[in-house]
């Protein structure tokens, strides 16, 4: 079931993403179960993975304004969005490999399972970011900030409800351990 | 582009979801752009829409323990998840209609665009919930709480990082207006 593979796959900047030592890939199911539409594109200042922020926190710190271009077909679906201070943005990491179950990110001390990471490499490469909404103009939204590459396909926009979506005291134990190691 | 339709589509409890007065449907694209795998199933106490909680807040208030059953193929991807207090769970609302851009939920005073709502009816019916993790046992996660029907297909599990995902003062203006109207 967890047969290691050595497949290569192109990465967002056109390179290849090998499996690193310790990583584990599985054989993907023969068939998919459902389909998604790309409903727009995300415009960011970042053309390559190298120049892009490493994560959502870094993206926010840049203060960069990104533009979400919604396909005109869906423009009417934005009615009411202008009253939201923050939004969930779901987008498709279309260049990520989907067969990794265990990953060894270069900046961490040890490997972890895909579902304990926010890595784009996952069975369904759906990325999720919380953004601050600046402005809605027609079918374009200006937001701060996203860490994806320019041209990334958009999947969904949802209102962010503090009452159910905000958990200020949430903990990611393994990440706290990594931080303690770096500062200790 | 926004041609109204009167199509019916089955709902999670096997009924049909008509378009309500004021709702607007569009013609969906002829082809999808990408595919998703169902990577597991969500087990909840709710077999029909009628008995299910109306939203995430109600689900949490029930205190009901739900079980996320991850397909054995992906079990190794859960390594490290046990150290997380809270998780994002993404799942597929497989019975929702996908062509509505403007909706008039029965419990609100007026209609709103699909992207201003958390309704399951959206172009890509990907639902998103923040859950509290109680326990990981093999490929099963016990969490509090989800508002979906028993058997709902699972798409993804992600760690919840308070530093970027928690926005305690986020506002949904239209929703605040609805609450003021009800209490006023």
């Amino acid at each position: 079931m967890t047969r290691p593979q050595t497949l290569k796959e192109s990465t967002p900047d056109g390179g290849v993403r090998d499996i690193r030592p310790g990583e584990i890939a599985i054989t993907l199911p023969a068939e998919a179960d459902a389909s998604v539409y790309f409903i727009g594109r995300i415009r960011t200042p970042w053309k390559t993975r190298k120049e892009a922020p490493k994560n959502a926190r870094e993206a926010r710190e840049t203060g960069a304004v990104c533009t979400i271009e919604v396909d005109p077909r869906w423009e009417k679906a934005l009615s009411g969005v202008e009253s939201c201070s923050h939004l969930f943005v779901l987008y498709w990491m279309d260049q990520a490999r989907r067969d990794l179950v265990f990953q060894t990110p270069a900046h961490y001390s040890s490997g972890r399972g895909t579902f304990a990471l926010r890595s784009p490499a996952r069975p369904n490469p759906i990325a999720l970011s919380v953004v601050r909404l600046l402005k809605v103009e027609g079918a374009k939204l200006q937001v701060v900030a996203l860490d994806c590459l320019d041209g990334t396909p958009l999947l969904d926009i949802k209102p962010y409800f503090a009452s159910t979506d905000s958990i200020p005291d949430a903990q990611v134990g393994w990440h706290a351990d990594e931080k303690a190691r770096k500062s200790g």
Side-chain angles (χ1 to χ4, degrees), chain A:
Chain A
M1 185 66 76
T2 55
R3 178 167 64 87
Q5 300 182 320
T6 52
L7 297 172
K8 295 185 178 191
E9 181 167 317
S10 45
T11 55
D13 50 2
V16 288
R17 160 82 159 89
D18 264 316
I19 290 191
R20 300 191 191 96
E23 293 193 326
I24 300 171
I26 52 93
T27 303
L28 289 170
E31 291 185 14
D33 295 292
S35 297
V36 295
Y37 302 113
F38 296 163
I39 62 167
R41 294 276 165 182
I42 296 172
R43 297 295 164 198
T44 73
W46 303 294
K47 308 291 183 192
T48 67
R49 188 43 43 208
K50 196 172 172 182
E51 55 184 312
K54 275 205 298 288
N55 52 45
R57 182 182 51 75
E58 278 193 17
R60 204 170 288 174
E61 285 167 4
T62 68
V65 176
C66 302
T67 302
I68 301 172
E69 298 179 351
V70 176
D71 188 286
R73 184 190 298 265
W74 309 105
E75 180 172 345
K76 185 83 181 159
L78 291 170
S79 175
V81 166
E82 72 286 348
S83 76
C84 301
S85 69
H86 292 76
L87 301 168
F88 282 118
V89 179
L90 272 58
Y91 48 98
W92 189 257
M93 304 301 284
D94 55 352
Q95 303 296 318
R97 62 184 302 158
R98 300 174 67 165
D99 59 350
L100 293 184
V101 289
F102 195 81
Q103 304 182 41
T104 55
H107 48 296
Y108 293 138
S109 65
S110 66
R112 263 145 211 130
T114 292
F115 300 142
L117 299 169
R118 293 286 273 265
S119 161
R122 49 207 318 118
N124 295 306
I126 302 167
L128 158 67
S129 283
V130 181
V131 299
R132 183 161 57 88
L133 177 64
L134 299 179
K135 190 157 57 166
V136 183
E137 285 185 322
K140 293 186 185 183
L141 282 67
Q142 290 191 2
V143 303
V144 178
L146 288 159
D147 60 357
C148 60
L149 296 186
D150 188 47
T152 297
L154 176 69
L155 290 179
D156 201 7
I157 298 168
K158 297 179 191 292
Y160 182 100
F161 286 95
S163 57
T164 49
D165 300 323
S166 177
I167 313 282
D169 57 353
Q171 300 285 333
V172 178
W174 69 257
H175 193 258
D177 292 345
E178 292 276 356
K179 277 177 74 172
R181 188 183 340 260
K182 279 175 189 168
S183 67

